[in-house]
Amino acid sequence: MEIFLIKLLQFVLAISLLVLLHEGGHFFFSKLFGVRIEKFYLFFDPSIWKWKGSIFKYKPKNSDTTYGIGWLPLGGYCKISGMIDESFDVEQMKQPEQPWEFRTKPAWQRLLIMIGGVLVNFLLALFIYAMVLYTWGDEYIAVKDMTMGMKFNQEAKSYGFRDGDILIGSEKGDFKDFSADLFRDISEAREVRIIRDGQPQTINLPGDINLLSMLKSTPNFCRPFIPAEIDTVLPQSPAAKAGIRKGDKLLAINGIAIDSWNEFTEQTGRLADQMIAATTEADSLRLRTATIVFQHKEALPSRGEGQGVGLPDTATVVLTPELQLGVGMTSLLSYYEPTKVSYGFFESLPAGVKYGWNVLGGYVGDLKYLFSSDGAKSLGGFGTIGNLFPPVWDWHMFWLMTAFLSIILAFMNILPIPALDGGHVLFLLYEMITGRKPTEQFMIRAEYVGFGILILLMVVANLNDILRWLGYM
């Protein structure tokens, strides 16, 4: 429950900040051009029976704007006079035009009002990235420094990769760290440079490997080789009862040899698949009973090398119901020193812009997979977004995730879908090019269509979250 509340708090804080600033962009340009703002709300406030739906509202003296917080946490809105928006206030549009209304302003002013929110979100993301680099710098383990190489799945091996290959780069440049960008670069690469057995080599690739398949396959297309050495042992755990100690190395599970944590998690994952079909306690106990072969630290010649000189030990253990052995795994930081880069204030600004631009480019490039069946299944709602935040309060990660969500919010809002800012921008560009303004009846119908599309996408995304939680996806 504590983890859930921490993630929820981070999610609500980030979304609230982004929504307020997004709507603040519309607010700023509206006020700049003398357009009246009727309501400025965080969250929506649909009426329930006689209740108007506001948790809080305040209208300053001599002001035309009511500020408030609604009860439905699905975003927020800035109600602009004389504009057809998600409020569907058609009665106002039937009244005579007023000089303070959106509809009476020149098209170029209306265009700036509509892109104000997107502009603020995009600039905010770049600024946050810059300040994160200025405050914390950039710290990562360079792929080229992973001298134990990678583990590859069968698809990767069919292209010519081998376990232990050290990835260097592609025709686009050197790889940085092990992240989604690495997979994206490999998926689009025509050739990948590697080090194999100490010698540089080049692997030719088709240039159009399916990125979604690379990420979703089990095991993944590639993952860093991490020796199956024990970092910690939990008291009274199956591992502790079997005599496994910190620094020991796992050699096999259920007769299947392993040399890395990659293979260990793969085998426990297969047990988890079999557990789904278990109908009795006896079936569950049988699957949880595992034979573990391990070697004590003192019998190993040196950390991460070989299987040791002493005889291995064998133990039969009963894994926890979650199929846990009760050990802490070593990580990349157990073997490699991270690369650290610091930035001065003025250095951080262009670096933040470059970082944010790369994030946006990767996100936009990946949208093509949305129109596949696997892509539709990968859509996530509020649960998926909330789970992006860490289980502990970490300001560094909080700001990185807030910047990422700001970029997503900016891009999604500029899509040419009616009811989004991008839909209004599309119609305004049409008006500026042709000199003809779409009719109010057309705009109302378009708003309904766009709103329906958004509701459908929201239902699908959150339904996917529910199905994942229930174990059906």
Side-chain angles (χ1 to χ4, degrees):
M1 178 58 74
E2 182 182 356
I3 291 176
F4 170 78
L5 291 175
I6 291 174
K7 289 189 174 187
L8 178 64
L9 183 58
Q10 291 179 89
F11 172 68
V12 171
L13 180 59
I15 291 298
S16 299
L17 174 66
L18 297 180
V19 168
L20 283 173
L21 291 175
H22 177 92
E23 300 303 334
H26 297 308
F27 185 93
F28 171 78
F29 283 105
S30 296
K31 289 294 186 181
L32 182 65
F33 300 129
V35 176
R36 181 175 293 175
I37 302 295
E38 298 177 16
K39 298 177 74 174
F40 187 89
Y41 261 64
L42 174 64
F43 307 149
F44 293 109
D45 61 331
S47 299
I48 302 177
W49 195 39
K50 296 181 179 180
W51 184 45
K52 295 300 182 181
S54 298
I55 296 175
F56 163 83
K57 65 178 180 179
Y58 171 69
K59 186 174 183 180
K61 188 177 181 181
N62 300 323
S63 174
D64 299 310
T65 307
T66 299
Y67 303 88
I69 300 175
W71 66 271
L72 188 60
L74 297 179
Y77 70 100
C78 178
K79 191 176 186 313
I80 302 172
S81 291
M83 175 184 168
I84 298 171
D85 58 12
E86 62 271 16
S87 67
F88 298 106
D89 188 358
V90 295
E91 291 303 318
Q92 184 185 74
M93 305 304 291
K94 295 177 182 178
Q95 304 301 316
E97 293 183 353
Q98 301 296 332
W100 62 77
E101 289 187 329
F102 176 85
R103 55 181 167 171
T104 63
K105 300 300 178 180
W108 68 271
Q109 291 185 4
R110 285 181 278 135
L111 180 64
L112 285 175
I113 291 172
M114 292 318 305
I115 66 173
V118 168
L119 183 62
V120 166
N121 279 136
F122 185 64
L123 293 178
L124 174 67
L126 300 183
F127 177 74
I128 291 176
Y129 281 131
M131 292 302 97
V132 166
L133 292 176
Y134 171 67
T135 305
W136 288 283
D138 195 9
E139 184 173 322
Y140 59 92
I141 297 174
V143 177
K144 64 180 178 60
D145 293 338
M146 298 180 187
T147 52
M148 290 185 289
M150 296 277 168
K151 297 283 289 185
F152 297 90
N153 67 8
Q154 289 305 312
E155 180 189 8
K157 290 176 180 177
S158 71
Y159 291 116
F161 291 102
R162 294 183 190 172
D163 289 342
D165 286 348
I166 303 171
L167 298 174
I168 302 299
S170 69
E171 67 270 21
K172 293 184 176 183
D174 291 347
F175 298 133
K176 182 186 175 185
D177 56 359
F178 187 77
S179 64
D181 288 337
L182 173 73
F183 289 87
R184 189 177 294 112
D185 288 346
I186 293 176
S187 72
E188 299 171 353
R190 290 289 179 180
E191 58 180 41
V192 170
R193 291 175 283 114
I194 64 167
I195 300 293
R196 178 179 294 167
D197 299 327
Q199 300 298 318
Q201 294 190 28
T202 299
I203 294 177
N204 295 318
L205 296 176
D208 59 352
I209 302 175
N210 187 288
L211 176 61
L212 203 58
S213 173
M214 293 173 69
L215 293 170
K216 293 188 69 175
S217 58
T218 304
N220 288 153
F221 188 89
C222 67
R223 60 268 191 223
F225 175 84
I226 303 177
E229 295 179 350
I230 309 297
D231 183 65
T232 55
V233 179
L234 297 177
Q236 304 303 313
S237 65
K241 294 174 182 177
I244 297 174
R245 304 191 295 266
K246 175 182 172 65
D248 292 353
K249 182 175 181 180
L250 302 184
L251 303 179
I253 177 173
N254 290 339
I256 299 173
I258 59 174
D259 64 357
S260 69
W261 285 119
N262 315 92
E263 291 165 327
F264 180 80
T265 54
E266 182 181 343
Q267 295 306 316
T268 54
R270 291 179 178 177
L271 287 177
D273 291 339
Q274 296 175 46
M275 284 283 284
I276 296 175
T279 57
T280 65
E281 251 187 67
D283 290 337
S284 174
L285 182 61
R286 176 177 54 81
L287 290 170
R288 288 166 49 206
T289 303
T291 301
I292 303 292
V293 180
F294 62 97
Q295 198 145 35
H296 287 304
K297 179 181 179 180
E298 53 269 21
L300 297 171
S302 62
R303 191 174 200 185
E305 296 182 8
Q307 293 189 355
V309 295
L311 293 176
D313 288 292
T314 301
T316 299
V317 301
V318 177
L319 303 176
T320 68
E322 296 79 24
L323 298 178
Q324 298 296 312
L325 183 58
V327 297
M329 303 178 183
T330 50
S331 67
L332 289 175
L333 289 172
S334 304
Y335 305 97
Y336 305 116
E337 285 292 327
T339 298
K340 298 179 181 180
V341 183
S342 298
Y343 295 89
F345 180 79
F346 293 106
E347 292 175 315
S348 70
L349 298 177
V353 171
K354 181 180 178 181
Y355 192 111
W357 191 255
N358 288 339
V359 171
L360 176 62
Y363 179 75
V364 173
D366 294 346
L367 284 180
K368 61 186 177 184
Y369 296 105
L370 184 62
F371 302 99
S372 65
S373 59
D374 284 340
K377 292 177 183 177
S378 68
L379 273 176
F382 300 117
T384 296
I385 297 173
N387 275 324
L388 294 175
F389 289 93
V392 295
W393 196 278
D394 183 334
W395 282 112
H396 183 203
M397 285 302 301
F398 171 80
W399 287 117
L400 284 176
M401 285 310 311
T402 300
F404 178 62
L405 292 179
S406 191
I407 281 183
I408 292 177
L409 185 61
F411 180 77
M412 295 302 291
N413 263 283
I414 205 61
L415 291 176
I417 299 175
L420 291 178
D421 297 342
H424 292 281
V425 168
L426 177 66
F427 297 136
L428 282 167
L429 291 176
Y430 168 82
E431 178 185 343
M432 295 171 74
I433 294 170
T434 66
R436 291 180 295 178
K437 196 173 183 179
T439 66
E440 290 180 2
Q441 190 64 31
F442 171 81
M443 293 295 291
I444 291 171
R445 289 176 178 173
E447 195 77 12
Y448 275 113
V449 170
F451 201 72
I453 292 172
L454 295 180
I455 292 296
L456 177 62
L457 286 173
M458 188 177 296
V459 168
V460 170
N462 286 285
L463 180 60
N464 283 349
D465 281 352
I466 294 171
L467 292 176
R468 289 190 195 99
W469 180 66
L470 295 174
Y472 291 106
M473 288 183 64

